[in-house]
Amino acid sequence: MNKLINKLYKNNTIIYKVLLFLITVVSIVYLFPKRGQFKYDFTVGKPWQYDNLYAPFDFSIHKSEEEIEKNKEQIRKESKKYFLLNEGVKKEVSLAFQKTMNSLSVSDSLTKRAIKQLSKKGKSIVNLIYKRGLLEEGTIEEGHGSESELVALRNGNTIEGVLFSRFIKTNNLLETIHENIQGVDDYQRQILLESVTNVVRPNVSFDEKFTQKELEEALKNMSYTKGKVSKGELIILKGDIVEGERFHVLKSYQLNSESAIWTASNYYWIVFGYTILVSLALLMMLLFLQGYRNEIFNDNNKVTFIFFNMVVMILIQTLVVKTNPKYLYVVPLSMLPIVLKAFFDARLGLFTHVLTVLLLGFIVPNSFEFIYLHIIAGIAAILTITELYKRANLFISIGQVTFIYMITYLAFSILKRGNVDEINWLYLGLFAANGLLSFLSVFFIYVYEKVFGLVSDVTLLELSNTNSKLLRELNEKAPGTFQHSMQVANLAEAAANEIGANSMLVRTGALYHDIGKIANPMYFTENQLTGVNPHNDLSTSDSVRIILDHVISGIEIAKSYNLPDRIIDFIRTHHGTNTVYYFYKKEKQENPDTEIDVKRFQYPGPIPFSKETAILMICDAAEAASKSLKEPTAQEIDTLIDRIVEQQKNDNQFINSDITFREIEKIKKIIKGKLMNIYHLRVEYPD
C-alpha cells in the first residue's frame, strides 16, 4: 500500500494532467450539439463537387428563415381579433335612462306627452347603440381593427363573426345619437342628448388574452415545410451551382440526415467519434507544450489555465449559437490569443486559438467560413498586438482586427451572392460589437493574474517602476546595490532585445535580483562607501554564509512583498550554482594543508532555466566584475567578458536555459558595447 502511495505521489503531476485531459474532453464533447455530421460540404454560389445526388429516403423541404418569418407575419396579420360582449350593460343602462326620464318635471316647454315621446326615442337610441355594440375608446388601437375587417364577438360561449365597422366607437357616440334624433326641437334634443350620454357605457371590449391565445395556437400549428422529396428523386447534378431552390432542398436533406444519424441506437458511437476528435486536438496541445514549451508543460497551473480558456471560449460560443445563431460573430474569440500572448508568447497563443476554432467548427453553422474568419482574425491579433500595457496600441490593434473581420466577411458575401446587394449588414455591427468586447481582455488578464498567479507585461511595467516601495527601500538601504541593479537591468534589456527574449521580464527581474542585500547591505562592496570592509572582522565561513544568504533573504523578502514567482525565479537563479571564488581562494590560502569542500562556497541554485534568467546571470556577473577593472579599456573589457561567460559555460550554468551559443555571442557583444559606453573617458579639459 505504501509503495502504491509513494508511486502516486511521485507521479502526481502526470496523474493530474491525465485527469485534466479527461475532464476537458468530457466538457467539450458535452457542449457539442446533439446531431451527427453531414457527409457533404456545400456553399451557396459554388458548384456541387460530388456525384449526382439522389434522395436516399423521403423527406420534407424545410422553409428558409425568411419564408418562416414571412409566414409568421402573414398569420399575425390574418389572425382574427376577438371582442367580448357584456349583455348586462344594456339592461343597466335602460333602467338608468328610464329613471332619468321619470325625474323630468312637466313645464311649459316639456309636456307629459313630450316626455313620453322623448322616453320612447331615447329607448330606441339605446337599443340601437347596444344592438351594434359600444366599443371602448382605447380598444381600437389595441385591436388594430380596420372598418372592413371581420372580427369575432364573444358572448359567453357563443362566437359571432361581425364587421368591425358595426361597432360604435365612444368618440363617435354623439354623432350617432344626433343622427337618430328626429322630430323634436332643439331644447328637447339637448335634454335627450344629455340623458342618453350620461347613462350609456361601453358593452364591447377587445379580448386581448383570447386573441393572443388564438394567435399562438395558429403560430404553433404553422407548417415549417413546403413540399416533399421522394426517395430516388434527383436532388442536384454534379457541377450544378448550389443556389435558390437547390440550396433549400440540400439544407433540408442535411437537417433530415443529421436527425436520422443521431438516434438512440448510434448515439454512443457518435459520442465516441467526437471524443476521439476532441482528444486528438487536446493531445496536439499537450505535445506542442512538451516539445516547444517544456517549462509550461511541467507547470500544471499553466496547463490548467490554457485548457480552461479553451473550454470557456467553446462554452460561450455554444451558448450564443443555441440562443440565436444570428449573433454567431459577436463572441470575441480574438481575446484568446491576446490573453495567452500576454502571459506566454505569440506562437502558443496562435496555436491554442487555431485548435479552439477548429473544435468550434463542430458547433457553428457554415463552419468553413467561421473557421477561416477567426483564424485570420487570430493571426491579425497576434501580429498587431504588442506592448499590451500601452493603451493606444491595444485600441489600434483591436481596430485592425475588427477591420480584418469586416473585410473577410464582405469577401465571403460577394463570393456567395456575386454582388453586394444582399450583404447582411447586421454582421458588420456584430463585428464592431466583437471589437468592443475584445477590450475585456485587459480585465480578464488582471483576473487571471490573481487567480492563476501569472504575470503579464502590464504587471511587469508596474513592478519595474523604481518608485515602488521595495525598490525605494533598496535605494535607501543599499544605494550601491540599487545602482548596480539599474545597470544590470539596462544591460539585460538590451541583450534580450538582441536575441528576441522577453525584455520587459528580464529588466524587471534584474531590478529585484539583489534585494536580499537589504538585510546586510554593508557586507557587499558596492555599498561600502567609507572604505571599511566588515569582512575583515569575520571568519571566512561567516563571510561566505552572509554572501550566500542574500539569495535566500531575497526570496523571503520577495514573498513578503507578494512578488510573482516569475520575478522570484531571477532571484533564485542569478548566481546559479557558481562558487564565491574570492572566499574559496582565501580559505585555501589560510588552510593550505586542508582539503576544502567547494560545495560550502557554492550558491544553492537552481541554475537558469530560461533565456531571460541566463541573460541576467551573464549581465550580473559582467557588470559586477567590470567594477574591478582599474583601466577599463576595450581590450580589458573584452577579455573580462569572454572569461566570465566561458567560466559559466564550463560550470554548466546554461544547460537548462534553452539558449544557443550564437545567442550567447550576441549577448556578449551587446554587453561589451554597453560597458565601453559606460567607461568611455572624456577628453580632459584644460585648467
Side-chain angles (χ1 to χ4, degrees), residues 328-357:
L328 176 70
Y329 291 110
V330 79
V331 180
L333 289 181
S334 56
M335 276 177 52
L336 182 61
I338 293 172
V339 169
L340 292 179
K341 184 181 179 182
F343 290 117
F344 305 116
D345 59 83
R347 189 177 178 186
L348 175 58
L350 182 59
F351 191 86
T352 308
H353 177 69
V354 169
L355 284 181
T356 305
V357 172

Side-chain angles (χ1 to χ4, degrees), residues 254-274:
Q254 179 182 3
L255 291 171
N256 284 277
S257 296
E258 290 171 349
S259 300
I261 292 171
W262 197 274
T263 61
S265 60
N266 57 16
Y267 174 88
Y268 294 106
W269 282 109
I270 294 175
V271 170
F272 178 68
Y274 275 144

Side-chain angles (χ1 to χ4, degrees), residues 94-144:
S94 297
L95 291 173
F97 175 73
Q98 189 58 52
K99 189 175 179 181
T100 302
M101 290 292 101
N102 293 339
S103 65
L104 294 176
S105 57
V106 179
S107 64
D108 294 338
S109 301
L110 198 62
T111 63
K112 285 184 179 182
R113 185 179 177 185
I115 293 173
K116 189 176 181 180
Q117 288 177 342
L118 288 177
S119 178
K120 186 177 179 181
K121 285 184 179 294
K123 286 180 181 179
S124 65
I125 293 172
V126 169
N127 289 335
L128 174 65
I129 291 172
Y130 289 113
K131 183 179 180 181
R132 292 178 59 183
L134 182 58
L135 187 63
E136 292 183 37
E137 187 173 352
T139 310
I140 299 174
E141 293 182 358
E142 293 180 39
H144 299 286

Side-chain angles (χ1 to χ4, degrees), residues 523-525 528 533-548 579-591 596-598 600-603:
Y523 288 90
F524 299 90
T525 55
Q528 295 168 2
N533 190 346
H535 288 288
N536 295 333
D537 300 326
L538 298 176
S539 66
T540 304
S541 297
D542 290 338
S543 293
V544 168
R545 180 179 54 78
I546 291 172
I547 298 298
L548 295 179
T579 304
V580 185
Y581 187 73
Y582 174 83
F583 288 107
Y584 173 66
K585 187 176 181 182
K586 183 180 178 182
E587 181 76 5
K588 288 184 70 173
Q589 290 173 351
E590 292 176 354
N591 302 282
I596 307 300
D597 185 7
V598 70
R600 287 173 44 215
F601 298 86
Q602 284 182 335
Y603 285 97

Side-chain angles (χ1 to χ4, degrees), residues 660-676:
T660 64
F661 287 137
R662 183 178 182 182
E663 288 171 335
I664 290 174
E665 291 302 316
K666 288 182 179 180
I667 293 168
K668 286 165 56 178
K669 184 177 180 181
I670 289 293
I671 294 173
K672 290 173 183 178
K674 290 288 182 181
L675 290 178
M676 279 299 300

